[in-house]
Amino acid sequence: MTAETDTQHTVVYKVIGMTCGHCEGAVTAELTALPGVTSVKAVAATGEVTVTSAAPLAEEDVRAAVDEAGYELAGRA
């Protein structure tokens, strides 16, 4: 799912391996550190991570951040 407004881009990603609030926090912290990211909402129960940014993010940057957190990016939801 991708939604775009005049200044914000929102994409939902599937992340494999999140099982708890700590997992959500780790993924959120790494993705929030990416330039331009304005919000991140990770939900372990569904494995979905919603990322809102000022400009579209390169998927390889998102993948690297998720990998750094210790999880696997499955792709866009």
Side-chain angles (χ1 to χ4, degrees):
M1 177 178 129
T2 303
E4 296 183 15
T5 63
D6 290 339
T7 59
Q8 297 291 301
H9 301 269
T10 301
V11 180
V12 179
Y13 297 96
K14 287 295 276 185
V15 174
I16 298 169
M18 293 190 304
T19 59
C20 65
H22 178 268
C23 301
E24 294 170 349
V27 170
T28 297
E30 290 296 333
L31 289 171
T32 299
L34 291 175
V37 171
T38 56
S39 73
V40 176
K41 170 89 171 131
V43 180
T46 62
E48 292 186 346
V49 180
T50 303
V51 181
T52 302
S53 58
L57 299 172
E59 189 161 321
E60 57 268 18
D61 293 341
V62 175
R63 184 174 306 281
V66 171
D67 287 348
E68 183 65 27
Y71 305 93
E72 180 183 348
L73 180 68
R76 292 182 180 211

